[in-house]
Amino acid sequence: MAPASEAHRTHPLSALLQGLIWGAGVAVALAWQLLDFDDLQWWALASIPAGFLGGLAAGYVSWLFTRYVIDDAEIRVERGILFKSSRRIPFERLQSVDINEPLIARLVGLSELTIEMAGGSDSRTRLRFLTLVEARRLRRLLLTRAHGGSPRDETGELPPEEQRVVLHVVPPDQIIYGTLLSLDFVGTVLATLGSVVAAFLLEDIGWALLPLILPASWAVVQMIMTRIVAQWNFTLSRGERGLRIERGLLSRSSQTIPYDRVQGVGVVEPIVWRRYRWARLDVDVAGYGNPGESDGGVSTTTLLPIAHHDLAMRIVEELVPDPERGTTEPVRPTHRSRLFAPIGWRYRSLAATAHTVTTATGWITRHRSIVPHHKVQSVEFSQGPLERRRGVASVEVHTPDGPVSAQIKHLDAAVARTVTFEEVERARLARRTQPPLAASSADASIAPTISRESSQPSGSTTFRGEP
Amino acid sequence: MREDLFTSPAGVWTPISPRLATARGLVGSACGLFLVLVSLVLWLQLADLVDGWAWLLWLPGALGLALTAWVWWWAPRNRRSWGYAEDEDDFVVRGGIMFRRLVVVPYGRMQFVDVQSGPLARALGFGTVTLHTASTATAAAIPGVPLDEATRLRDRLTDLGEGHGAGV
């Protein structure tokens, strides 16, 4: 094995792959801009293959000048010819390491390594492309280092790939049903069908609706692609250091969420799904940020796209110790808050357990946010002018940016104040009992893992949810 | 009752500098004066043209005067509503009259502390101290902290943050 600080290149085929991607992009853009079939110009025709070749060349050059170096404290990625960029990623700042196999790369057995750090939109580093074996080896090395472990023992070997226990494989039919039964999908399909029908009824001017039909159909196709194809074979497995998510039919992606980097878990139950007791799980990890609108419901923050509620809760227990134990009497808004949410106020509540604080909200789609006390960033108590007139106030428990947001609006003002300082107190206690997780000695944070392991004696069972 | 709600249990509140109100008053007055000047210019230029409706030209000026009066009334009250407390384990910030807010930030959660100060604020000797945690929702900014106190606060909070360091 090479010495630790030697510079590595990505796989030579990445030059070709990246070149193809860029070349195709340039060629399509040029074709779109320049081609005029009524009046074909030779230079317009020639520019398309030229653009394609240019893209290929750029791919080669970018490969030639991309290097990564791993030493004792960090991984460094260097890029660029004219504008050199060098990014250093100290191991202890690492939040998660993912492996993606976009379809085109997967065809030739290559994959992309994504390294996530906390902070900012630019905190993601991609290494494309590596062989799958190399990507896995790197991930193992990075994750071991991130947890303060030594990269290799005396014999100079990497620790072997850890044993993983498959927790759940989401059956494809459940993903399909779940998508078909989700409100936004049904809404989009109805809108599309509606406009098609309208187009047929308005025979003469029906074609004018085409600009409406095309994007709507495209949205339907995209939803099917992102939700069903991207979440095909969604596999959740448990290892020593974290949960792993593997998913995708065409493009595969493999994601590791270290236990101690989980900032909060969200349980989402849309109205139709509740009939079947289905739920979706979201997870807050510093650095993942908010799922973009364009993701259409699939993103790195999805922990489990669809599963039976009981199964989902068992998965939550994997991440959050004892979410149910020692549950306090839930705090609910007063009837004075009816003004703000005529129906919704009955569905809002906040409860705390020994380890977590849980808020619930929503009556069409029910959201439950579970935040461990020792991950609470800050607690806010606020009151607007209308709230003051009704004698109510709101409490928000801040977590790093992501899909999970633990807040309860319009509690009785005095109760809200009590809740705020109770949560501050619980968070303080949790931080004390939890050995402080100094960034460099993340091992200390395995503590909750131990209690969890002992509560799962039959560690090798695979449980599946019944739809 | 309001005051009761927005205090810390350990509550020794440090108020912020009255100069914040002065600065806001000055900015408000400047805007007001500008509007009055606009009215004056309009009146000098157009009074003959819009005969009979000339008083309308003084509306911006009246608005400017009202704005000035309101700012001088609002700024001291808003200033008094702000405060911070250094509790044993947490830093507590409160502020606002209409929209009241109290944020409790554990020292160990603090990622970094900013001190910002514009030209007018610097001339009057105060700045804005902002606490950052891993959550952008924390947004705990304290306006109008005297500059030397701001520097002390920043250093103290940074020290405390390291001492209580709890990672992300």
Side-chain angles (χ1 to χ4, degrees):
Chain A
M1 193 171 288
S5 60
E6 192 183 308
H8 300 273
R9 282 223 172 111
T10 52
H11 194 276
L13 261 181
S14 14
L16 185 64
L17 278 181
Q18 190 67 65
L20 279 177
I21 294 171
W22 283 344
V26 172
V28 167
L30 282 175
W32 194 259
Q33 291 289 325
L34 297 178
L35 275 195
D36 178 1
F37 288 104
D38 298 332
D39 179 23
L40 270 183
Q41 300 279 348
W42 67 268
W43 54 266
L45 269 180
S47 71
I48 292 166
F52 184 72
L53 287 179
L56 273 184
Y60 175 72
V61 171
S62 99
W63 169 78
L64 200 62
F65 286 88
T66 300
R67 288 206 170 113
Y68 64 95
V69 182
I70 298 170
D71 64 19
D72 291 333
E74 61 186 15
I75 172 168
R76 219 162 42 238
V77 180
E78 278 154 17
R79 294 204 159 89
I81 315 144
L82 284 177
F83 298 93
K84 293 266 181 202
S85 87
S86 171
R87 172 173 282 191
R88 318 166 63 128
I89 306 165
F91 291 132
E92 70 266 17
R93 296 287 164 80
L94 247 160
Q95 294 293 326
S96 65
V97 183
D98 303 342
I99 294 175
N100 297 314
E101 297 169 74
L103 182 58
I104 176 171
R106 195 178 165 206
L107 290 177
V108 289
L110 293 184
S111 57
E112 168 194 277
L113 193 77
T114 314
I115 303 166
E116 202 80 51
M117 287 190 290
S121 54
D122 196 31
S123 61
R124 186 172 293 181
T125 311
R126 294 172 196 280
L127 269 182
R128 51 165 55 152
F129 295 92
L130 307 167
T131 59
L132 195 53
V133 176
E134 173 67 7
R136 289 208 172 122
R137 190 188 72 84
L138 258 182
R139 171 168 70 182
R140 210 156 68 233
L141 183 130
L142 291 174
L143 286 177
T144 317
R145 285 304 195 81
H147 290 271
S150 162
R152 51 199 91 222
D153 50 23
E154 293 75 30
T155 55
E157 286 302 308
L158 267 174
E161 183 79 84
E162 55 181 353
Q163 285 295 307
R164 307 201 68 87
V165 180
V166 174
L167 293 177
H168 184 53
V169 181
V170 182
D173 54 333
Q174 199 179 15
I175 289 182
I176 295 171
Y177 291 141
T179 305
L180 294 184
L181 289 179
S182 61
L183 280 181
D184 45 352
F185 182 79
V186 172
T188 319
V189 169
L190 284 182
T192 314
L193 288 180
S195 43
V196 169
V197 169
F200 274 110
L201 289 179
L202 303 168
E203 283 167 29
D204 295 336
I205 50 161
W207 55 269
L209 283 175
L210 211 60
L212 203 72
I213 296 172
L214 285 182
S217 332
W218 175 238
V220 171
V221 172
Q222 219 177 10
M223 274 188 182
I224 293 177
M225 284 302 283
T226 51
R227 301 209 182 162
I228 300 179
V229 178
Q231 295 186 333
W232 201 262
N233 253 339
F234 198 102
T235 307
L236 197 61
S237 58
R238 177 183 56 189
E240 193 187 330
R241 304 199 191 285
L243 290 184
R244 178 160 301 166
I245 295 168
E246 282 158 314
R247 60 178 168 84
L249 179 63
L250 302 176
S251 302
R252 298 275 309 160
S253 105
S254 162
Q255 206 182 327
T256 310
I257 301 176
Y259 293 123
D260 54 312
R261 303 289 153 95
V262 171
Q263 307 282 341
V265 183
V267 185
V268 183
E269 297 168 90
I271 185 162
V272 192
W273 288 18
R274 277 210 298 280
R275 255 188 75 93
Y276 305 98
R277 287 185 46 80
W278 288 342
R280 186 182 88 222
L281 291 185
D282 286 334
V283 65
D284 244 12
V285 174
Y288 277 164
N290 261 318
E293 285 296 314
S294 58
D295 289 339
V298 183
S299 69
T300 47
T301 56
T302 304
L303 178 62
L304 191 61
I306 184 168
H308 191 263
H309 183 268
D310 298 343
L311 173 76
M313 289 319 288
R314 259 178 292 171
I315 306 271
V316 171
E317 277 169 44
E318 291 286 321
L319 293 172
V320 185
D322 291 340
E324 305 289 346
R325 201 187 67 187
T327 310
T328 56
E329 186 64 27
V331 185
R332 294 178 187 283
T334 69
H335 64 274
R336 289 197 305 278
S337 72
R338 248 179 313 196
L339 183 71
F340 302 101
I343 301 175
W345 73 277
R346 290 173 192 279
Y347 294 89
R348 294 181 175 160
S349 69
L350 178 144
T353 70
H355 299 288
T356 60
V357 55
T358 304
T359 62
T361 180
W363 58 281
I364 297 177
T365 295
R366 235 173 254 173
H367 289 268
R368 204 134 50 94
S369 304
I370 305 167
V371 178
H373 292 313
H374 66 274
K375 291 294 187 188
V376 170
Q377 294 292 327
S378 51
V379 188
E380 175 181 327
F381 169 54
S382 64
Q383 193 179 43
L386 268 177
E387 286 185 306
R388 187 153 53 250
R389 298 209 49 169
R390 306 292 292 182
V392 298
S394 303
V395 179
E396 183 170 353
V397 176
H398 295 144
T399 57
D401 303 355
V404 181
S405 149
Q407 59 173 318
I408 179 156
K409 289 186 160 172
H410 320 311
L411 290 175
D412 176 79
V415 174
R417 187 192 145 80
T418 318
V419 166
T420 306
F421 286 103
E422 272 175 8
E423 182 50 35
V424 168
E425 187 58 38
R426 283 192 289 255
R428 178 183 0 232
L429 281 176
R431 281 197 308 277
R432 289 246 175 89
T433 44
Q434 186 83 6
L437 173 61
S440 55
S441 64
D443 272 352
S445 63
I446 307 257
T449 324
I450 296 161
S451 65
R452 183 171 41 241
E453 294 296 333
S454 58
S455 69
Q456 284 278 340
S458 55
S460 60
T461 49
T462 302
F463 34 89
R464 274 168 178 264
E466 300 305 320
Chain B
M1 184 191 110
R2 272 189 219 164
E3 286 310 315
D4 292 344
L5 281 175
F6 285 85
T7 52
S8 147
V12 186
W13 291 100
T14 315
I16 59 171
S17 165
R19 289 183 175 176
L20 176 72
T22 315
R24 283 173 169 172
L26 286 178
V27 172
S29 306
C31 293
L33 189 67
F34 175 76
L35 286 174
V36 170
L37 285 177
V38 165
S39 277
L40 195 66
V41 170
L42 282 178
W43 187 71
L44 287 177
Q45 298 288 318
L46 303 173
D48 302 337
L49 291 175
V50 286
D51 203 28
W53 293 94
W55 60 271
L56 272 179
L57 297 176
W58 284 105
L59 272 185
L63 201 72
L65 288 180
L67 177 79
T68 309
W70 179 78
V71 164
W72 283 104
W73 173 80
W74 165 82
R77 295 183 70 215
N78 181 275
R79 197 278 297 177
R80 276 196 297 276
S81 75
W82 282 93
Y84 55 89
E86 295 165 60
D87 282 0
E88 196 185 327
D89 292 281
D90 315 285
F91 192 78
V92 191
V93 184
R94 68 161 177 197
I97 306 173
M98 284 294 274
F99 293 90
R100 306 179 138 251
R101 191 166 180 266
L102 180 147
V103 184
V104 185
V105 187
Y107 292 126
R109 288 293 178 224
M110 248 169 281
Q111 298 284 324
F112 58 99
V113 183
D114 270 346
V115 180
Q116 285 165 322
S117 179
L120 179 63
R122 210 161 43 240
L124 288 168
F126 66 83
T128 302
V129 178
T130 314
L131 316 180
H132 296 268
T133 68
S135 167
T136 49
T138 299
I142 323 163
V145 182
L147 277 180
D148 45 348
E149 165 72 2
T151 320
R152 184 199 71 83
L153 203 58
R154 184 193 60 199
D155 295 343
R156 179 173 153 72
L157 290 178
T158 312
D159 285 351
L160 283 170
E162 277 164 11
H164 288 67
V168 176

